[in-house]
Amino acid sequence: MPLEILLVLVVGGIAGITLLVHLTGRSQRCVLSLETAREQWVRHFPEDTVIDVTVAHDRHAALVRTENGPGLLWSFGADTVAQRLLDYDLLDRTDGFEILFHDFGTPKAIIHLDDLERPHWRNLMEPA
């Protein structure tokens, strides 16, 4: 098969799959509620007992308190990422926080919070 035809088939296939995923709604960001945040945290950390969950107003992040300490759960595309708040840098932004984890494998988290949420979240994230 000529390379030109193979290239068209590969590019067309990738574009078709991307379009199909988008049209079926699978490309939307995960929206969290108290229940889904609790379920997603337990999916990531099955040994944890969740004490409390605080969901951001935009519903794309949640602060989870467990017996093992606080953790952060946030939307990463259609899935979620969960990380314990042990070793991180918290940077203020005009629209919330940017959290840089000192774990090489964890992406930074940009959490959008309004002016009322920001002090409450900062207080919950501080070590006890």
Side-chain angles (χ1 to χ4, degrees), residues 23-56:
L23 292 177
T24 59
R26 305 266 188 215
S27 63
Q28 295 178 357
R29 286 179 67 191
C30 179
V31 176
L32 300 171
S33 66
L34 290 173
E35 297 80 25
T36 57
R38 187 179 300 270
E39 290 169 4
Q40 291 296 312
W41 184 267
V42 171
R43 181 177 68 94
H44 290 285
F45 296 101
E47 71 281 357
D48 277 2
T49 301
V50 176
I51 297 170
D52 184 40
V53 176
T54 304
V55 178

Side-chain angles (χ1 to χ4, degrees), residues 46-111:
E47 71 281 357
D48 277 2
T49 301
V50 176
I51 297 170
D52 184 40
V53 176
T54 304
V55 178
H57 289 165
D58 74 352
R59 300 182 63 194
H60 294 298
L63 192 57
V64 180
R65 286 189 323 131
T66 70
E67 291 178 344
N68 297 322
L72 183 66
L73 179 77
W74 70 98
S75 297
F76 196 73
D79 200 6
T80 58
V81 177
Q83 184 69 25
R84 295 184 197 280
L85 292 174
L86 298 174
D87 193 17
Y88 64 94
D89 293 324
L90 182 66
L91 305 174
D92 282 313
R93 294 171 49 110
T94 57
D95 60 344
F97 295 136
E98 182 172 346
I99 302 168
L100 304 171
F101 294 97
H102 298 171
D103 177 15
F104 176 76
T106 305
K108 72 177 177 181
I110 297 176
I111 309 300

